[in-house]
Amino acid sequence: MTMIGLALTKEQFKTLLNMVYIANTVANSRREEGEFLKDYDELEQYVFSRAKEAGFPGATERHKVDEEVHHHPSLSFEHDPEVNKLLDEYDVACALELLSEKLAEHDLEKKYGPNTKDRMPSKDYDELLEERTLEYQHQFEDHGFTKVRIEGMEGK
């Protein structure tokens, strides 16, 4: 295995810690135990094992698993406002994008009938879908969720 060395400033290493943590969180946080992407976990451990010598001793926690030392982000690192802000922004953007697209798909099916995607030329469908998705995204940007209503949920 060829090892690659990187020279980083303290600020760059802090950014690298954030990036590695965010990437591993996105890749593994919704997976069940035993289904984690091992490469992401191992790289996170490797980078966090260097945190103390890079000037961030509070960023990592150490513990042993089967006589092997593991390094994970500390609770204080996991609660870092900068990291959480980035993760929150990502979560909101993904949720709004997915919800907008699903609502747009629903509208197209309602307007053009079942299996619209399969019956319409893909270019036409994609253009209609993108146009309607953007309309929903603008609504969410302007009004948040205040205009969202779910049929059958009133009064429950």
Side-chain angles (χ1 to χ4, degrees), residues 25-153:
T25 299
V26 169
N28 281 322
S29 67
R30 303 291 186 245
R31 297 181 189 278
E32 297 292 325
E33 186 74 33
E35 295 179 6
F36 293 141
L37 300 174
K38 190 176 177 183
D39 290 348
Y40 284 76
D41 269 345
E42 288 175 354
L43 184 56
E44 181 184 69
Q45 284 188 52
Y46 178 76
V47 171
F48 273 81
S49 75
R50 304 300 189 264
K52 183 178 180 181
E53 66 194 56
F56 302 101
T60 187
E61 290 180 355
R62 294 176 41 186
H63 68 275
K64 285 189 176 186
V65 176
D66 298 327
E67 299 303 315
E68 186 177 309
V69 176
H70 287 253
H71 295 265
H72 294 285
S74 65
L75 284 177
S76 63
F77 182 88
E78 289 179 349
H79 296 302
D80 180 273
E82 178 186 353
V83 171
N84 284 308
K85 180 178 184 253
L86 292 170
L87 285 168
D88 288 346
E89 288 171 352
Y90 174 79
D91 287 345
V92 168
C94 287
L96 292 180
E97 185 177 312
L98 181 62
L99 181 58
S100 296
E101 189 170 306
K102 292 301 179 186
L103 289 169
E105 287 173 353
H106 177 266
D107 290 354
L108 294 179
E109 293 254 336
K110 191 173 180 180
K111 183 173 183 175
Y112 297 104
N115 302 316
T116 301
K117 186 176 184 175
D118 298 330
R119 295 184 298 102
M120 187 181 283
S122 63
K123 183 178 184 228
D124 295 342
Y125 180 84
D126 290 347
E127 286 176 8
L128 289 170
L129 181 65
E130 183 176 348
E131 180 181 304
R132 191 68 177 142
T133 298
L134 287 173
E135 289 174 15
Y136 276 112
Q137 288 175 343
H138 292 305
Q139 282 294 311
F140 291 135
E141 288 170 10
D142 293 344
H143 306 286
F145 292 113
T146 59
K147 291 189 171 190
V148 174
R149 301 286 180 263
I150 300 175
E151 290 180 20
M153 296 298 288

Side-chain angles (χ1 to χ4, degrees), residues 12-30:
Q12 288 173 323
F13 190 83
K14 172 68 168 139
T15 301
L16 180 63
L17 285 173
N18 292 351
M19 289 174 63
V20 168
Y21 174 75
I22 290 168
N24 194 33
T25 299
V26 169
N28 281 322
S29 67
R30 303 291 186 245

